[in-house]
Amino acid sequence: MKNYMCQTHFLKNTIGLLTFLSVVGCSTAEKTTQPTTVKVEQTPALTIKKFKAYTQKFTNTTTLTQNHATGHIGEYFFTHWKDGGSASLNMQTNGTFNVDWQGGGYNYVGGPGWHYGDENRVIGYRFDSDSGANFITVYGWGYDKNMAKTDPSHLVEYYILQRWSDAYEPSQNGVFGKKFVSNGVEYSTYRTIREEKPSINNTSTFYQYWSKPSQQQPLGVELEIVFADHVKAWADSGWVLPNMNNFDASDDPTYQVMAVEVFNPPADGTASGRVWNATPK
């Protein structure tokens, strides 16, 4: 449940390096630790003009510690966001990453993926460690600027949970959809609503769609998520996912990532793994 705040983006020249830093907040920008061995260049394959941050490409292993950073590391998009506290994202160009956090009263969400959602994408992943993340989940957005803003379906935040803590349970406040099996895993779907909350398109009222497995998915095993199965299951309940490949929203494109989320973590922790595109050629 990423809470967007007003953002400032800037580039800072260093000797022999150009380091992308981006800070969330409405007050004086905090000083941050510089990412490791970062070279920034334009990404020819991307024609993104609205969000300057997304045109940047880090070509080496990068550690992000600032409040907010987005872009590409190798061929993978990443989002890294927190509203305080201490959490870092270390990411390699092949989709390998780890998130480290310290206990405190704040929210963090981040991880690698793609700057757009694709209904036909199969997400391959392996998680090697998880010491208490609230969610490890496929996480993304859909947005249709042509739909009435009074219709919560115009903006959807979705979660396909793989691992979770007991701190938040979507079924408690959600509308149940259906049970279904995808790639050998049984899921239950739920829909919740966020009323006048921060989003990728300012403060909005929008739906959240959830798919939750009957049991937590294991560590150290290569797994695949067939995204189309979840889109179909949501649609079977009348929950339509709007456009997942656009730059129409005010604050972010409709990205799709494998996210680690922690909120008000009671202790230090870490989560690590790798993400890749497993879509059949």
Side-chain angles (χ1 to χ4, degrees):
M1 286 162 286
K2 181 176 179 181
N3 293 323
Y4 287 78
M5 302 173 66
C6 68
Q7 304 173 7
T8 58
H9 297 287
F10 61 93
L11 293 176
K12 180 179 178 182
N13 291 315
T14 60
I15 299 175
L17 298 173
L18 184 60
T19 301
F20 164 68
L21 299 178
S22 179
V23 179
V24 171
C26 304
S27 59
T28 304
E30 68 176 6
K31 294 181 179 179
T32 59
T33 304
Q34 295 180 359
T36 60
T37 316
V38 175
K39 180 181 179 182
V40 181
E41 62 183 26
Q42 295 297 314
T43 309
L46 302 178
T47 57
I48 308 170
K49 297 180 180 179
K50 184 173 182 179
F51 305 107
K52 187 175 181 180
Y54 297 91
T55 68
Q56 307 305 313
K57 182 176 180 179
F58 302 108
T59 58
N60 297 286
T61 298
T62 304
T63 298
L64 303 143
T65 60
Q66 56 266 46
N67 278 1
H68 184 254
T70 51
H72 288 77
I73 297 178
E75 297 305 314
Y76 292 90
F77 169 83
F78 70 89
T79 183
H80 164 81
W81 181 94
K82 58 188 173 73
D83 60 5
S86 179
S88 64
L89 168 67
N90 179 274
M91 187 170 154
Q92 300 178 28
T93 58
N94 68 350
T96 298
F97 74 104
N98 64 276
V99 173
D100 295 297
W101 64 86
Q102 294 181 1
Y106 65 98
N107 179 206
Y108 171 82
V109 60
W114 301 268
H115 72 269
Y116 64 97
D118 184 344
E119 180 174 342
N120 297 315
R121 182 176 288 135
V122 177
I123 299 105
Y125 80 92
R126 183 194 70 249
F127 264 86
D128 299 314
S129 65
D130 170 23
S131 57
N134 291 95
F135 298 138
I136 293 179
T137 178
V138 170
Y139 171 63
W141 294 84
Y143 175 61
D144 187 342
K145 67 178 181 180
N146 296 316
M147 291 178 65
K149 301 301 184 288
T150 55
D151 183 349
S153 297
H154 84 283
L155 178 64
V156 171
E157 182 182 38
Y158 60 85
Y159 292 79
I160 303 175
L161 300 180
Q162 300 298 288
R163 297 181 62 83
W164 61 90
S165 71
D166 296 328
Y168 183 81
E169 172 52 63
S171 63
Q172 292 179 354
N173 300 309
V175 175
F176 173 74
K178 65 177 292 185
K179 289 184 181 291
F180 71 103
V181 175
S182 176
N183 203 26
V185 178
E186 182 183 70
Y187 289 88
S188 296
T189 65
Y190 303 92
R191 187 185 71 185
T192 53
I193 190 169
R194 299 275 283 168
E195 296 183 356
E196 292 302 304
K197 298 297 183 181
S199 75
I200 64 169
N201 194 53
N202 295 315
T203 300
S204 302
T205 295
F206 56 92
Y207 281 136
Q208 295 173 313
Y209 299 166
W210 302 81
S211 291
K212 182 181 179 182
S214 57
Q215 60 185 7
Q216 307 239 20
Q217 298 306 291
L219 298 174
V221 178
E222 293 190 355
L223 301 168
E224 293 183 356
I225 298 170
V226 182
F227 187 55
D229 291 347
H230 298 267
V231 175
K232 181 181 183 303
W234 298 330
D236 287 346
S237 299
W239 308 342
V240 178
L241 195 60
N243 187 1
M244 294 179 290
N245 186 7
N246 66 69
F247 302 100
D248 298 327
S250 61
D251 299 327
D252 272 317
T254 49
Y255 58 76
Q256 182 177 81
V257 299
M258 179 63 78
V260 173
E261 182 166 359
V262 293
F263 41 91
N264 300 323
D268 297 357
T270 188
S272 64
R274 181 175 174 241
V275 172
W276 61 91
N277 188 347
T279 309
K281 301 296 185 180

